Amino acid sequence: MKINFLEQYRQQIKCLVALDSIIFGFDGTDLKLLLVKRGIETEHDTWSLMGGWLAPNETLEMAAHRIVFELIGLENVYLEQLGAFGDPTRDPVERTVSVAYFALINVPNYDDKIDHVFDAAWFPINDLPELLFDHKEMVAQAKEKLKYKAAFHPIGFELLPEKFTLPQLQNLYEAIFGVTIDKRNFSRKMLSTNLLIKLKEKQKGFSKKGAFLYKLDAERYKQDFNAFLNFIPNPDI
Amino acid sequence: MKINFLEQYRQQIKCLVALDSIIFGFDGTDLKLLLVKRGIETEHDTWSLMGGWLAPNETLEMAAHRIVFELIGLENVYLEQLGAFGDPTRDPVERTVSVAYFALINVPNYDDKIDHVFDAAWFPINDLPELLFDHKEMVAQAKEKLKYKAAFHPIGFELLPEKFTLPQLQNLYEAIFGVTIDKRNFSRKMLSTNLLIKLKEKQKGFSKKGAFLYKLDAERYKQDFNAFLNFIPNPDI
DNA sequence: TTTGAAAACGTAAATATGACACTTACTTTT
DNA sequence: AAAAGTAAGTGTCATATTTACGTTTTCAAA
């Protein structure tokens, strides 16, 4: 009976739906997290993840992209859903379910486009301040998912500039996994993927010899994204 | 100003929050999906995933466990969040965000406990009927996540009975990944994990010789769950 | 007693991995 | 101009793993 059917809908609780973004960046040396102070939303000026509310007529993914764009002004950012967080007490004001996404950006691309409305800052991934609500747990899960995904898919490249060096690539993977990797083995493994195009150009201003610059073979990156790649020796994930 | 802060909350849309469960089972030969007909919820009696609504004072995970328990009557089922689905048009009645979980159960454990309120049936994973809403997409993503997770973690064992044979284990992995695996290589690889305890007992009534039964070393399973295991040659994930 | 089929056990060659040291290239210092 | 210093690049060897494959054993059915 249709009336009972609609009554079932009417009896259910409704929730606010938030989108929270864990924005990872890499500056060539360290993995970082972008945090903001949403001044009007808390009494303490605590650091938090960039977030916002789901709007009518947009999908979760559209909303997540809109929210990241509001902060950093870049489109086509790598964005992946982490999952939903729905503890009844997570927001003291009103029952809220948050759908968290993580983003991967190259830090130098960001600095040009900061939206100064937000009090935003980068923090080293292993030296984070106290976070609002369950954002600490979101960050922990995002770190795990980044490790997981990066172990087997070349998403790490989303954190690099268009041109990068092998030492930078190794720094990135060492930062993601918190391990030291033998540079001879790393180099051989990474070059064996045939994802890298070696440029004639060398990095300036960083080391005496200067490292060769590489770029990603975009075509092959696309083709091989789901091919099994195992960059990391015995990943703990 | 606090009034403006609360006004921000009041301006946001609210959604119903559904929980949908992708319940995988294995019967020793085939990987299957459990579907139900929620007769009062649709005009067509279409097959759908088992689902329900988020209730006050429960977390998403509690709700997912409750909903799975309502159908199959088992507790401590392996349950993992898949993610949130929130297309504005996914439910024609009212704006709904669904948080999907997948469950792994051993089919023979289920049959004793079926709740006949639901018109439930198992379907082979590669021969599914038309599904309600975005459930087809949820199933597709759950299959991918199962493959992904099973390639590197021994969650496949959640689909097996307490005692199983090597041929059954191989059938399971072949069903999950849709590939044929060399039984000599599979056996050597699987035994090398030291996760299996060989029993003196042999399987009866299936093959002439009868395969040895094994059980899982529970202690080692727990310890090694996050250790990197790579059962599948060149997994496509 | 024979048959047939699944299960168990095993081998060889190719490939990958882990641990490791020395040479090169280039800027800075003397 | 030469020497020094340092990061980057390159290579080797032993071991482990993987891939492809064949034969023997066990047991119920014929």
Side-chain angles (χ1 to χ4, degrees), chain B residues 117-173:
Chain B
V117 168
F118 299 96
D119 189 354
W122 289 107
F123 289 84
I125 202 66
N126 294 317
D127 190 21
L128 298 178
E130 199 61 27
L131 295 177
L132 197 67
F133 300 144
D134 49 2
H135 289 190
K136 181 177 179 177
E137 175 61 20
M138 289 179 181
V139 171
Q141 285 192 27
K143 284 172 76 177
E144 288 309 301
K145 184 148 183 176
L146 174 61
K147 282 170 76 177
Y148 202 111
K149 200 71 187 255
F152 306 112
H153 300 280
I155 66 165
F157 291 101
E158 304 289 344
L159 289 151
L160 291 170
E162 189 187 352
K163 297 178 183 177
F164 52 87
T165 68
L166 279 173
Q168 281 174 331
L169 190 54
Q170 179 170 348
N171 283 346
L172 172 63
Y173 276 87

Side-chain angles (χ1 to χ4, degrees), chain A residues 9 14 81 84 91 94 148, chain B residues 9 14 81 84 91 94 148:
Chain A
Y9 274 73
K14 289 190 184 183
Q81 192 186 121
D91 187 319
E94 187 152 359
Y148 203 110
Chain B
Y9 274 73
K14 288 189 185 184
Q81 193 187 119
D91 189 319
E94 188 153 357
Y148 202 111

Side-chain angles (χ1 to χ4, degrees), chain A residues 25 43 65 71 107 109 119 156 176 183 204 207 222 235:
Chain A
E43 296 101 17
H65 274 288
L71 175 61
V107 170
N109 283 7
D119 190 355
I176 293 175
K183 68 176 174 173
K204 293 292 194 274
S207 69
K222 240 189 265 173

